[in-house]
Amino acid sequence: EVQLVESGGGVVQSGGSLRLSCAASGFIFTKYDMSWVRQSPGKGLEWVSAITGRGDRTFYADPVRGRFTIFRDNSRNTVDLQLNTLRVEDTAVYYCAKGAGIGSYPLDSWGQGTLVTVSS
Amino acid sequence: SYVLTQPPSVSVAPGQTAVLTCGAGNIRTKSVHWYQQKPGQAPVLIIYYDTNRSLGVPERFSASKSENTATLTISRVEDGDEADYYCQVWEQDSDHFWLFGGGTKLTVL
């Protein structure tokens, strides 16, 4: 059974940093690309970042490019998201999601999310 | 930029059919995926590559696509179908490669 467990959320002041982590199990981690998707309170889903299975390519949404960095450790089956220069509008639940590939592939498994609150 | 347009809300009585739409230019050329998110829970992939149901998704859920509209149809709606539904496509020329619609809240009356 695929399991994705996020951690690292919390309250941080505007301009601060936070590192989120997602621990994966139940599948061959290196074979799958991983994404982070966020959801602001009462709002819809917004894709944030993705990384290929080998970790050799990364992708970012425009609102976070240059501030967020995605990493993965295939020896530990984890994918992290480093959040820097945080803004109030980054407040959201951040979900880790497993993808079948880069391109027209769905996000087929999701974690339960971790809440990031950025205060002004 | 490419935008997926979903009606904010749809209401339907139990046992009736709910039709949820996802509109965008030339969506016919893209693979559309649908996610269901129940209150307080993470999203779940329910339809992938336009028409394929994920494992465990009832046959009451079906999907189709035309030139500019993807449609999720839920037949014989049950109370447990009340949720937010999101369509999603890959759009390389967008500022978000994995692009989601704004979501539709399905209310079962």
Side-chain angles (χ1 to χ4, degrees):
Chain A
E1 179 195 2
V2 173
Q3 282 203 325
L4 301 170
V5 180
E6 302 92 337
S7 62
V11 180
V12 61
Q13 283 197 321
S14 179
S17 297
L18 213 54
R19 187 165 179 128
L20 309 181
S21 188
C22 170
S25 61
F27 62 101
I28 301 174
F29 187 64
T30 55
K31 293 187 70 172
Y32 292 94
D33 307 314
M34 300 295 294
S35 277
W36 286 91
V37 178
R38 69 184 180 183
Q39 186 171 35
S40 299
K43 302 296 185 184
L45 302 173
E46 179 187 21
W47 172 80
V48 171
S49 182
I51 187 167
T52 54
R54 293 187 300 179
D56 55 345
R57 293 170 64 197
T58 57
F59 304 83
Y60 299 95
D62 282 357
V64 307
R65 185 174 292 113
R67 299 188 299 123
F68 292 7
T69 306
I70 191 169
F71 306 87
R72 68 187 295 157
D73 185 337
N74 285 345
S75 67
R76 296 173 53 232
N77 286 10
T78 58
V79 55
D80 289 4
L81 187 68
Q82 176 68 40
L83 289 61
N84 293 334
T85 320
L86 280 162
R87 304 167 180 167
V88 171
E89 55 265 35
D90 294 320
T91 294
V93 174
Y94 284 74
Y95 295 100
C96 169
K98 168 180 166 285
I102 301 299
S104 301
Y105 299 92
L107 300 171
D108 58 19
S109 297
W110 298 60
Q112 284 304 305
T114 187
L115 176 62
V116 172
T117 302
V118 183
S119 62
S120 57
Chain B
S1 63
Y2 202 75
V3 175
L4 299 175
T5 300
Q6 297 185 254
S9 63
V10 168
S11 299
V12 63
Q16 300 302 304
T17 297
V19 177
L20 284 64
T21 59
C22 174
N26 217 19
I27 201 171
R28 178 183 54 83
T29 63
K30 300 186 181 298
S31 294
V32 181
H33 314 298
W34 290 90
Y35 303 82
Q36 177 193 64
Q37 185 180 32
K38 294 184 177 180
Q41 297 185 19
V44 173
L45 176 68
I46 57 171
I47 299 286
Y48 58 98
Y49 295 125
D50 302 331
T51 60
N52 298 278
R53 278 187 303 276
S54 294
L55 199 63
V57 174
E59 291 184 6
R60 301 184 296 104
F61 288 77
S62 63
S64 62
K65 201 170 60 173
S66 66
E67 182 79 23
N68 296 311
T69 304
T71 301
L72 175 67
T73 302
I74 309 172
S75 304
R76 303 181 300 283
V77 165
E78 302 175 357
D79 288 348
D81 298 333
E82 188 160 288
D84 294 323
Y85 292 85
Y86 296 90
C87 57
Q88 179 255 312
V89 302
W90 162 269
E91 175 51 41
Q92 192 166 0
D93 294 330
S94 165
D95 54 359
H96 292 77
F97 297 133
W98 282 260
L99 186 63
F100 290 92
T104 295
K105 178 172 180 54
L106 175 65
T107 299
V108 181
L109 300 171

